[in-house]
Amino acid sequence: RGAGEDRREDEQAPGWADVWTRRAPVALALALGGALFLRLPFLDLPLTADEGGYAEVARLWQHGQSLYGQLFVDRPQGLLLVYRVLLDLGADSTVALRGAAAGFGVATVLAIAAVAARVGKRINGFTAALLLGTAGASPFVESFTLSGELIASFVAVLALLAFTGSLQEERLRWVALAGLLCGCAVMVKQSGLDAGVAIGLWLVVTRRWRSLGVLAVAAAVPVVAGVLAATSAHAWWDAVVAYRGQGDSLVTGSLGGRLSQLGDTLPALGLALGPLAVLAALGFRRAPLLLRLWLLGALIGVVGGGNFHAHYYIQLGAPLAALGAYGVTRLGRFGPTALGAVVLVALATSAALSLAPRSTQTRLVWPHDPHLRYDDEAATLIRARVPAGQPIAVTWGDASLYFLADRPPAVRSLWYRNAQAVPGAAERDIAVLRRGVPLVVALEPSLRAFPALRQVLSCRYRPIRVVGPLHLYRYAGSCR
């Protein structure tokens, strides 16, 4: 099915579509306003372990430490480069990083409007933008955080926008640009392959083999550049590819644990994107093949990672919004009612959460991360007890404390899954603690899971404070 057939079908849209199209500036303003203002009430919520960890790694990289060597991080350079640029621009606070996230959200709305309009009609573009700017901005999928999924989603939409240029002009330069952007999306987050999957499969179905080759070569350029830029190609591969495939993927670890994690996040997914998914299902068969393949690519990206965190579902927002626009037009005169219902649900749920106390917001958005409610207090204690420049150890799972306290890590593993999944990682970090670290923050799950950690802390450290699930210890130098 081609873009021309889709446009002919859209010409049969009901009369209200003409009215809606004439009010396009209002619709786009509402979409952009939603993408921005639905995020603003949550800008000062606690910095997540991912955000703070990426910011700390970017800061250490900025100061000369090597990625994948001295610093272990299982994300490609693109994501860390975004954080590094933001730090260079002075975005060194929680609110500043969240402001950047809002900027990416707004930019993605603009891009999806252009993509949906190019493969369909203007009405599809404005409707998709409104859906993404409201349902896609739900705080229940952590849309206000500066996640890799949010940034990669923006780059993926840009890739599709470039590719739609090739459908209009049939020039390979647009395919090459789309390929470069597909590669960049993967270099932000490994799961950001949705645009590449969609474009690649579309070219296979339409038998455009030359364009497929151009796409593949162009997409490989950012990846090859990342490998060559790394201090060690082997270390890069182990961290960015092998770690995800061997230690933290859908086919490794406990299947029951994966399903439990999926079940835990399904309520948030349903609350944020459930109504939008219904519209997308209604419009699926009517939508252009490229958009249907885009949703397939996004699902592969979300499921393929193995873990199921609420912010992973951000990747589904843009393709669901594009398909949802066709669901609206398919409903005919009931389309505006359905669109209004989805928008109102998004506005109501976001507003209800924004009116709750900050502690309640934190608990509802991150029910399984209780340490977030205590990070500010712990960071204040750390700054008071540890001189600037002295390292601390957080074992493990609260990497944001390094960034919030402005103290470098003494251990290599910043995230709990790294300590769990990387062979020997926890043991190496515990060996560092035996040699002495000025201050250690141990999380309760780590104390329960690692007897050797408990032994070292009870022998060589003295407890100084318990802040929620965070246990703070100072180095004493010898066993009791």
Side-chain angles (χ1 to χ4, degrees):
R1 177 171 178 164
E5 182 182 342
D6 297 317
R7 287 195 179 90
R8 286 193 298 273
E9 193 170 304
D10 272 339
E11 287 171 359
Q12 302 170 10
W16 63 264
D18 295 330
V19 177
W20 178 243
T21 301
R22 289 195 297 270
R23 294 177 180 173
V26 176
L28 190 57
L30 289 174
L32 297 176
L36 176 62
F37 291 109
L38 290 184
R39 289 176 166 93
L40 291 184
F42 311 104
L43 295 190
D44 66 340
L45 285 191
L47 202 66
T48 66
D50 281 352
E51 293 174 292
Y54 301 149
E56 181 61 22
V57 170
R59 182 159 61 187
L60 295 171
W61 182 28
Q62 188 181 46
H63 294 161
Q65 294 198 34
S66 62
L67 295 177
Y68 317 113
Q70 295 167 284
L71 304 171
F72 182 84
V73 59
D74 60 351
R75 295 292 185 264
Q77 292 101 317
L79 175 60
L80 302 171
L81 184 60
V82 170
Y83 270 87
R84 182 167 174 174
V85 169
L86 291 173
L87 293 179
D88 286 337
L89 294 174
D92 56 357
S93 68
T94 300
V95 172
L97 292 175
R98 297 282 170 71
F104 277 107
V106 170
T108 307
V109 167
L110 284 172
I112 193 67
V115 170
R118 277 189 171 182
V119 298
K121 295 183 69 177
R122 291 178 65 197
I123 184 176
N124 302 113
F126 304 136
T127 305
L130 187 56
L131 290 170
L132 184 61
T134 52
S138 172
F140 292 98
V141 287
E142 305 173 32
S143 68
F144 57 89
T145 64
L146 189 61
S147 64
E149 289 76 15
L150 178 68
I151 303 169
S153 183
F154 169 61
V155 181
V157 177
L158 289 183
L160 286 164
L161 182 59
F163 182 68
T164 58
S166 74
L167 299 182
Q168 293 180 339
E169 297 185 14
E170 296 188 359
R171 294 185 179 179
L172 289 178
R173 64 184 182 185
W174 290 113
V175 178
L177 178 58
L180 283 171
L181 289 167
C182 288
C184 289
V186 172
M187 288 299 291
V188 169
K189 181 72 164 56
Q190 294 96 319
S191 63
L193 44 73
D194 46 324
V197 168
I199 298 170
L201 290 178
W202 191 91
L203 292 173
V204 169
V205 170
T206 57
R207 299 177 181 272
R208 302 190 183 188
W209 308 117
R210 185 181 178 190
S211 294
L212 182 63
V214 171
L215 179 80
V217 171
V221 170
V223 179
V224 172
V227 175
L228 296 177
T231 304
S232 165
H234 183 267
W236 183 93
W237 178 267
D238 282 347
V240 176
V241 181
Y243 168 77
R244 305 300 302 178
Q246 298 174 8
D248 204 17
S249 70
L250 185 64
V251 296
T252 58
S254 167
L255 177 60
R258 306 295 188 200
L259 294 176
S260 176
Q261 193 178 52
L262 175 62
D264 288 342
T265 57
L266 281 180
L269 174 62
L271 194 60
L273 301 180
L276 177 57
V278 172
L279 273 184
L282 290 172
F284 187 82
R285 292 187 63 183
R286 189 170 190 267
L289 175 62
L290 182 64
L291 299 184
R292 287 181 277 163
L293 292 173
W294 186 16
L295 179 60
L296 172 64
L299 288 170
I300 291 173
V302 171
V303 174
N307 291 318
F308 298 95
H309 300 291
H311 61 270
Y312 284 14
Y313 303 125
I314 291 173
Q315 189 171 347
L316 299 174
L320 285 176
L323 292 169
Y326 286 86
V328 170
T329 56
R330 180 184 175 185
L331 288 172
R333 60 192 178 92
F334 297 106
T337 302
L339 175 62
V342 173
V343 171
L344 285 176
V345 168
L347 295 177
T349 54
S350 297
L353 185 62
S354 70
L355 296 174
R358 187 174 187 268
S359 59
T360 302
Q361 293 174 349
T362 304
R363 178 173 53 82
L364 291 176
V365 175
W366 299 290
H368 302 290
D369 293 318
H371 65 85
L372 292 174
R373 301 197 294 272
Y374 304 94
D375 280 353
D376 288 342
E377 182 181 350
T380 300
L381 289 170
I382 293 168
R383 288 193 296 269
R385 289 180 172 270
V386 181
Q390 291 294 309
I392 64 170
V394 181
T395 56
W396 293 273
D398 196 1
S400 54
L401 276 181
Y402 296 115
F403 183 73
L404 294 171
D406 194 16
R407 300 297 185 267
V411 295
R412 192 164 183 259
S413 300
L414 273 61
W415 289 271
Y416 188 63
R417 282 300 298 160
N418 298 160
Q420 283 184 315
V422 177
E427 290 77 9
R428 286 191 293 270
D429 288 350
I430 292 171
V432 171
L433 300 188
R434 287 195 183 96
R435 295 194 292 270
V437 174
L439 186 142
V440 176
V441 181
L443 276 71
E444 286 179 356
S446 300
L447 291 172
R448 291 194 299 267
F450 295 92
L453 174 63
R454 297 198 304 270
Q455 191 275 329
V456 168
L457 291 175
S458 64
C459 176
R460 295 185 176 274
Y461 292 80
R462 300 293 180 267
I464 56 175
R465 187 74 65 89
V466 176
V467 184
L470 306 174
H471 296 247
L472 279 70
Y473 297 83
R474 64 175 175 83
Y475 182 60
S478 61
C479 290
R480 300 177 186 179

